[in-house]
Structure formats: C-alpha cells, structure tokens
Amino acid sequence: MIPDTQADGTPGDEPLREPIDARLRSIDAGNYRRSVRSALEEFATVVCEDGDIQAVDDITKHDCRYYAQYLRDRANRDGDQFSARTAHKNYAFVRASFTWWQRDDRIATNPAQWRGATDELPEITSDPDRQFWTRQDRTAILRHVDQQVDAVLNEGDDPLPAFRDRAIVYVLALSGVRGAEVFRDPADDRREGLRWSDVDLDGGILRVFGKTRTYQSAPLPTDARSRLRRYKQVLDPEEGWPVFPSLHRPSLYRTVREGLADELPEQRIEELLDEGGPLAVMRKYDLIPPALSVRGARTVMKRLCEAADLDIDGEYLKPHGARRGLGHQLYTEGQAELAQEALRHQSVETTHQAYHDVQAEATARRVDEILSWE
C-alpha cells in the first residue's frame, strides 16, 4: 500500500503519489476523503505492480479493466468481507478521480469509463439497506416522545432530555433532513451540527449544509416547528449554540472546565458547576456546548425505540429512514414533485429513481386491475 504523504507535504517516490494527494486535497468531506484514499491506494497497488506506470497519464483502459477484474475476484473470494456493492463503490471512487484529473488537465480522457472495464465488475445481487419509517412507525415514535414529555412534566423531573429527544424525532420525521445535516460529523470539519442561528421558526425553515456541500433550505412543518419552539424555551440557548447539544454530562463538564481554565481558579469553576450546572455556566460565560454527533443521534433513536417497544425487523428506527419514509409516503400518494422539493433532490428524475420500487408496485397493481377478469 502507498504510504501516507510525508509530514512536510512532499509526495513519496511512488508514481501516483502526487496525483493521488492532489485529488485528496480537493475533497472536503472527511469520510468521503478516507474512502477515496483507500480505493485509490488499492488501485495504485494493483496497476503499478509491474512497474510500467510512471505517471497518471500512462494508465490505460486495459489497466482499469484489470482493476475491475481484481475487484470482481476479491468480491467472489470466500472469507473476504468484501461485497460486490463495495467493489462498485471503489471503482466509482477511482472513476470519479480520473474525471477530476481530466478536469485538472492531467489526462486527456477518462480510461475508467470504458464499458469493457465496467462490464468486468461483479454483479450486485443483494438489495441495499433501504429502511424507511412507515406511517405506523412514525406515528408510534411521535406518540411515544410526546408521552415522554408529558410524563416528565407531571413527575417534576428535568424536562430538557425529553424535550430535546422529542424535537430530534419530530425534525427527523417531518423535515426530510439527513442526519449529517443536523448532527455533528467528527470526520467532517464543516458539519458541526445545526445551529439556532440557522433556524427560522417563524418561517418554518432550517438552513442546512446539504449533501451538495452548499447551504439549502429544508422545510420545517407545523408540528415539528411547535415542538422545536417549545424545546428552545426549555433549553434557553445562545444564538450560536447547536440545536441539539450532547447531554453527556462528562462532556459538558469538561467543556466548562477547559473553557474557563484560563479565566477562573479551578475551585471557582467547580463552585459554579455545583450552583447551576454546566449549561447555566455556559450561558453566563459564552461557552458553546458540544453538538450531538451522528453516532449519538443513532444511540438516542435506539434508546427511544427500545422504550417504545418498537422493533423494526430486529433493528431500530434509523435517522436516515425518517427521510426515506417521508419521501415514500409523499411518493405513494402521487406527490412526486412535492417529494422532490421536501427531500431537496436536484430533479424529479432523482426522486423517481429513489422510489423506483414504489413505482414498480403501483404499475403491477394497475396491470392487475386491467387484466383482472373478476
């Protein structure tokens, strides 16, 4: 495997090190960058093994076919946890990198687009994980989080966790946002979690950093808006706070202690924490609590589903399943354009492709109705 770039940024001796590094520097998203790095390093190892490749423009379409064959053989190998779908993803990362090198005037054409190469990739026979919240699932989890809030108000417990969890579920269920658009992604510096400054409760709009890595307006329907407004009253946040902070107490206490270490004596910091708790200290001293991470949001959903006794084929209601569930319901009710707008797809064709299974089921029903002789 090609080693990482040296600390001073100087490429290594390998012929593809510099173009690979240039490609990786062009990618902002941390998770995507790591996936592309892994695919490109594997590709370089495979095609450079005979020593004929000295530069990226030495790579031919036949080299790309050889790599596709390598991926196919690896996917078919017993005991290797490498699926046909992963093979296609890795090849797509390499193909996209060639497109970038072409735009960067490093190569004249993209050899990875050759049909003779892509035909060598393994056949995908398994369906991807396409969980979506059904109408019944959505109703059940929304009812549960409403009941949680009622319970804490009646029992006099700390209301903040229940109000925050309810707001999370309502926003996921009704707005069509992706988890990475509202929760913090530790692997991506630009995804720090939705901030209150990006929420327009009067207009019913969330300003989110979308999949296209541009800011987009996501709808906030009335029920989600009302729960978010009530939650905001309980949280009493500063404008720059994340909408969904982590409530992990060690993390909150650590944020206060580290944030005030240069301003106050340690004893005074502890006194403040004892008097009002970490969030009160953060409000007073303009500190920002850590945002709930994508992984933390999944943990919240898992906990809520267990408490609500919701079992989705042995799983829990995943955050992205809420988005798919919203689109699925709108699409099945004949509102493809509305689904496109709610999910912020670039075109309605993207929406049709995302819900092709729904379209196929509807077509089958219409055929049955026409052919039925009863």
Side-chain angles (χ1 to χ4, degrees):
M1 180 176 289
I2 296 175
D4 288 341
T5 303
Q6 298 171 13
D8 61 359
T10 304
D13 295 333
E14 293 77 8
L16 298 187
R17 181 73 271 169
E18 192 278 329
I20 287 178
D21 283 347
R23 169 58 175 151
L24 296 175
R25 286 193 298 270
S26 73
I27 302 172
D28 292 328
N31 285 335
Y32 184 63
R33 187 189 308 114
R34 276 195 294 272
S35 297
V36 172
R37 176 192 291 276
S38 176
L40 287 178
E41 291 183 342
E42 177 185 60
F43 174 78
T45 300
V46 171
V47 302
C48 293
E49 61 183 354
D50 59 7
D52 291 341
I53 305 298
Q54 296 301 317
V56 69
D57 58 359
D58 290 337
I59 299 172
T60 69
K61 61 184 182 181
H62 298 287
D63 294 315
C64 293
R65 180 170 63 182
Y66 180 62
Y67 176 59
Q69 292 169 341
Y70 164 84
L71 292 173
R72 180 196 62 207
D73 292 344
R74 185 178 174 190
N76 293 333
R77 190 183 307 151
D78 292 337
D80 194 337
Q81 298 298 316
F82 187 84
S83 68
R85 191 172 301 279
T86 302
H88 279 258
K89 286 183 178 180
N90 285 7
Y91 192 90
F93 291 143
V94 170
R95 182 171 50 205
S97 296
F98 274 105
T99 298
W100 186 87
W101 287 325
Q102 187 177 10
R103 289 199 306 266
D104 203 42
D105 204 26
R106 295 168 179 265
I107 56 175
T109 60
N110 186 343
Q113 290 180 337
W114 182 39
R115 181 68 178 270
T118 57
D119 283 348
E120 296 292 331
L121 291 169
E123 180 183 2
I124 298 176
T125 57
S126 60
D127 291 332
D129 180 6
R130 297 170 67 85
Q131 184 205 79
F132 65 89
W133 297 15
T134 66
R135 186 198 300 259
Q136 294 76 14
D137 295 334
R138 185 190 307 119
T139 299
I141 194 64
L142 292 177
R143 181 184 299 117
H144 172 72
V145 292
D146 279 335
Q147 291 172 345
Q148 272 198 323
V149 167
D150 292 340
V152 298
L153 292 177
N154 291 333
E155 297 169 6
D157 295 333
D158 178 11
L160 180 57
F163 274 89
R164 187 206 62 172
D165 292 352
R166 183 175 72 167
I168 287 173
V169 173
Y170 267 86
V171 168
L172 289 175
L174 304 181
S175 71
V177 295
R178 300 175 178 88
E181 293 174 337
V182 291
F183 306 118
R184 177 176 57 87
D185 182 353
D188 189 338
D189 293 340
R190 299 195 64 182
R191 298 196 181 280
E192 299 180 336
L194 184 70
R195 304 285 149 160
W196 284 107
S197 55
D198 294 322
V199 177
D200 181 357
L201 287 172
D202 294 329
I205 297 172
L206 302 177
R207 183 171 175 267
V208 300
F209 190 58
K211 186 177 181 179
T212 59
R213 303 195 70 76
T214 59
Y215 281 94
Q216 301 172 337
S217 295
L220 189 65
T222 301
D223 284 346
R225 195 186 319 176
S226 65
R227 269 65 173 190
L228 199 58
R229 189 187 302 275
R230 183 70 183 92
Y231 159 60
K232 185 178 183 181
Q233 294 172 349
V234 174
L235 178 62
D236 188 24
E238 300 297 322
E239 192 71 6
W241 279 24
V243 174
F244 302 117
S246 169
L247 298 183
H248 181 244
R249 293 188 69 79
S251 298
L252 295 177
Y253 276 81
R254 182 171 59 252
T255 299
V256 170
R257 289 166 180 150
E258 292 178 353
L260 297 180
D262 294 333
E263 297 185 34
L264 298 174
E266 181 178 345
Q267 182 178 353
R268 180 53 184 156
I269 295 174
E270 298 304 318
E271 291 173 354
L272 290 170
L273 287 170
D274 290 340
E275 291 170 4
L279 292 177
V281 179
M282 290 181 190
R283 294 187 194 96
K284 182 176 180 179
Y285 288 92
D286 295 327
L287 299 177
I288 297 178
L292 184 68
S293 68
V294 173
R295 181 177 180 180
R298 295 192 189 108
T299 300
V300 169
M301 290 306 308
K302 187 177 298 186
R303 170 171 51 78
L304 292 174
C305 287
E306 289 175 355
D309 199 22
L310 277 173
D311 188 316
I312 316 301
D313 296 327
E315 290 280 356
Y316 63 98
L317 292 174
K318 301 175 182 178
H320 195 71
R323 173 181 167 84
R324 284 195 55 79
L326 176 65
H328 188 277
Q329 182 173 342
L330 294 175
Y331 196 91
T332 55
E333 294 181 2
Q335 301 293 329
E337 289 77 11
L338 181 57
Q340 175 204 347
E341 294 175 4
L343 302 183
R344 290 165 285 123
H345 286 158
Q346 292 186 345
S347 69
V348 74
E349 285 74 20
T350 302
T351 310
H352 287 311
Q353 184 178 5
Y355 295 98
H356 63 87
D357 52 340
V358 177
Q359 198 171 26
E361 290 174 7
T363 300
R365 286 195 298 270
R366 289 197 296 270
V367 170
D368 284 341
E369 291 171 0
I370 292 172
L371 297 182
S372 176
W373 54 269
E374 295 183 348

